[in-house]
Amino acid sequence: MGRLCIFLFLSFLSVSAVSGSKRIQPWSKNPLYWQYKKRPVLLLGASGNDNLFQSPNLETHLDSLIAAGGNYVRNTMSDRDAGDVRAYERMSDGRYDLNRWNPEYWERFERLLRYTRKRDVIVQIEIWDRFDHSQRFWDSDPYNPKNNVNYTSAESGLAESYPFHPGLNRQPFFFSVPALDDNAVLLAYQQAFVRKLLDISLKYPHVLYCIDNETSGREEWSAYWVAFIREAAGDRTVCLTEMWDDWNMRSAMHKRTLDYPARYDFVDISQNAHAQGDANWDGILYVREYVRQSPRPLNSVKIYGSGARTHGGDSEHAVATFCRNVLGGLASSRFHRPPAGLGLCEISMHCIGTIRQIERCVRFWDLRPRKAVREGVYSSRAANGIEVVFFSLGVPVIYRPADSGRSFEVRWFDAASGAQTTEKVVVGADGVDLKPPYPRNCFAVLIPV
């Protein structure tokens, strides 16, 4: 009987170890990228809304993404938009009871995790979204004291009106943790929400965790929730990060993630997507070099640009940013939802498909990005002699591969349309004249022959 118990215990440990190794985590051979089910993966995505779990056409959306070659979505836990369901049960008088869950909210969340796991689509969750708890959205928020039966303004420290932009970070909701306001009344409900989320999500191996959406909050807030999640996860592998709001990757705000690899398992540099052209490329290379001593995946769960807003750039900017992200060595890239981004549309699906076509020639984790060749021209090299050049402006360039005096097959890929052409070139002592056959945002893959 004793031997049988030992055998069963060892078998359990073996199964647990295998299960852990199959979870999404930094790739053991190159931790700048992710591995899932023990295999490296490049995460590419696009989706029509942020809180995807609330979408009524979820399966169709996911199937369209997969058909394009995508495997990555973002999901905020937001419930502020028309048609969304709230996390808490609403009483007959219209107020919410923060001690009682709305089952439909959590069923929608688990449905997302079931559907994405079945399709091997990685989900990056953002637990808190500052826009949920500010301005006009605060007026209907269940946490607003006037909207629940659980506490008053005096008891919770929360005002019934919060008209300020969340970027000002004045909302007491984000100061509840012990190192800040030590607001035990509010924190208890926040803890219960996160604990309920984790009761569902920790069962799934394909989930990444981000504490906030583009936050300007205090470092103590993020650090508290990282520790809270790790304690709840126990021996299960969880990968966490924070998304800071500063558009400058060199700012002190981003050092909160970059300087703490033991706290944050990956780095989200979505705000670098606001940078244009060479500045966008330089931001990628800067962060990549910064984490060289403690390499971690670099994610961009949001790529801005659609032309529908005064900021964020146009659709050409979005396509160029997506391409630079992948060529520059980011582990994930996803087109942001409309109107701030392209979402899942014909252009974004072509872009994802183009990257998958290039992967048939060379894996992006085998490439080493270089400084910009010239304005609008960016390149990466592989040890086997293959080189990939990206032209955001379609301007010809005299390009000098590492190997001169030999022939190359050049495969051209137009990112936004998916079109392809091929030519043969011979590289002379001064390099080779690469003339893009497409007006903007195309790749040249140089393959030695």
Side-chain angles (χ1 to χ4, degrees):
M1 183 66 179
R3 291 182 179 179
L4 177 60
C5 290
I6 293 173
F7 173 79
L8 291 174
F9 177 71
L10 292 175
S11 298
F12 170 78
L13 290 180
S14 176
V15 169
S16 299
V18 171
S19 177
S21 66
K22 290 185 177 181
R23 298 177 75 91
I24 184 73
Q25 58 192 281
W27 184 21
S28 58
K29 293 184 178 180
N30 182 353
L32 286 171
Y33 287 87
W34 295 106
Q35 71 174 43
Y36 180 57
K37 295 183 176 180
K38 300 185 178 182
R39 300 180 64 181
V41 289
L42 176 63
L43 303 183
L44 306 177
S47 43
N49 60 331
D50 294 336
N51 53 346
L52 197 58
F53 78 116
Q54 301 266 17
S55 176
N57 61 339
L58 177 58
E59 283 196 283
T60 301
H61 207 68
L62 291 172
D63 288 341
S64 296
L65 174 65
I66 291 168
N71 60 353
Y72 178 56
V73 294
R74 173 187 186 226
N75 186 73
T76 65
M77 300 306 297
S78 298
D79 53 7
R80 66 178 184 257
D81 296 327
D84 291 350
V85 295
R86 298 286 193 177
Y88 300 100
E89 183 172 322
R90 196 169 194 177
M91 313 302 290
S92 58
D93 65 358
R95 293 183 296 169
Y96 295 92
D97 185 347
L98 303 187
N99 289 316
R100 300 173 68 175
W101 302 117
N102 177 2
E104 186 178 354
Y105 176 94
W106 299 105
E107 288 167 4
R108 289 186 180 190
F109 178 51
E110 185 147 24
R111 179 189 64 169
L112 169 70
L113 299 184
R114 288 199 313 270
Y115 288 177
T116 48
R117 182 181 185 182
K118 178 181 177 181
R119 294 164 172 81
D120 286 337
V121 173
I122 303 302
V123 181
Q124 184 167 320
I125 294 174
E126 285 158 35
I127 298 172
W128 305 110
D129 188 339
R130 61 185 187 168
F131 290 99
D132 289 338
H133 312 292
S134 66
Q135 297 176 308
R136 63 186 177 90
F137 298 117
W138 181 241
D139 291 337
S140 60
D141 192 330
Y143 288 105
N144 188 321
K146 71 179 181 180
N147 297 328
N148 68 61
V149 300
N150 307 97
Y151 49 64
T152 64
S153 270
E155 292 168 336
S156 66
L158 299 174
E160 293 185 359
S161 175
Y162 183 77
F164 309 107
H165 189 281
L168 296 175
N169 195 41
R170 298 178 184 174
Q171 170 61 287
F173 183 91
F174 295 101
F175 288 79
S176 61
V177 300
L180 297 174
D181 288 351
D182 196 15
N183 184 338
V185 172
L186 176 59
L187 184 60
Y189 293 106
Q190 293 172 326
Q191 289 173 330
F193 177 84
V194 176
R195 195 175 291 113
K196 175 66 173 178
L197 183 155
L198 294 173
D199 285 344
I200 297 171
S201 66
L202 288 174
K203 297 182 293 185
Y204 293 87
H206 64 299
V207 179
L208 300 172
Y209 297 87
C210 182
I211 305 302
D212 293 276
N213 170 41
E214 53 188 44
T215 182
S216 300
R218 293 280 296 271
E219 185 173 5
E220 294 91 338
W221 164 268
S222 300
Y224 175 84
W225 291 113
V226 167
F228 184 89
I229 293 170
R230 291 205 191 281
E231 182 178 0
D235 60 357
R236 286 169 289 195
T237 299
V238 290
C239 294
L240 299 114
T241 196
E242 180 61 284
M243 185 197 301
W244 304 107
D245 190 36
D246 200 310
W247 295 6
N248 178 12
M249 292 299 106
R250 293 171 172 80
S251 73
M253 186 177 285
H254 289 289
K255 299 298 193 299
R256 300 173 181 177
T257 300
L258 295 173
D259 288 345
Y260 294 93
R263 178 180 297 164
Y264 298 109
D265 308 280
F266 65 106
V267 181
D268 191 291
I269 65 168
S270 292
Q271 298 312 93
N272 188 57
H274 286 288
Q276 305 278 327
D278 288 359
N280 175 257
W281 181 254
D282 291 343
I284 295 170
L285 298 190
Y286 167 79
V287 178
R288 184 182 171 103
E289 176 61 24
Y290 199 101
V291 302
R292 187 166 58 89
Q293 298 302 322
S294 55
R296 290 167 281 167
L298 310 179
N299 282 18
S300 182
V301 77
K302 295 194 291 187
I303 294 173
Y304 303 99
S306 68
R309 288 189 172 180
T310 56
H311 66 278
D314 58 14
S315 60
E316 297 286 357
H317 166 71
V319 172
T321 300
F322 178 82
C323 295
R324 282 189 292 260
N325 280 355
V326 177
L327 186 64
L330 266 62
S332 83
S333 293
R334 170 194 161 269
F335 289 97
H336 195 26
R337 49 89 184 146
L342 288 175
L344 187 64
C345 65
E346 184 176 359
I347 292 176
S348 61
M349 289 191 289
H350 279 314
C351 287
I352 293 172
T354 295
I355 298 303
R356 297 306 185 198
Q357 289 294 320
I358 295 175
E359 282 188 312
R360 297 181 178 183
C361 305
V362 62
R363 294 293 187 176
F364 284 90
W365 48 71
D366 291 331
L367 296 169
R368 296 295 177 268
R370 307 164 62 211
K371 292 183 178 180
V373 178
R374 53 159 296 173
E375 183 182 4
V377 182
Y378 316 95
S379 67
S380 288
R381 289 174 174 169
N384 63 0
I386 294 179
E387 307 204 17
V388 182
V389 187
F390 174 62
F391 297 79
S392 65
L393 303 176
V395 179
V397 66
I398 302 297
Y399 185 73
R400 296 174 175 81
D403 296 332
S404 60
R406 65 181 303 176
S407 297
F408 286 84
E409 179 181 88
V410 182
R411 299 182 186 177
W412 291 96
F413 299 84
D414 181 49
S417 72
Q420 301 179 32
T421 59
T422 302
E423 64 177 326
K424 294 280 184 69
V425 299
V426 177
V427 178
D430 295 327
V432 60
D433 189 7
L434 292 181
K435 299 179 179 179
Y438 308 108
R440 293 191 69 173
N441 294 329
C442 62
F443 289 94
V445 181
L446 283 68
I447 303 173
V449 294

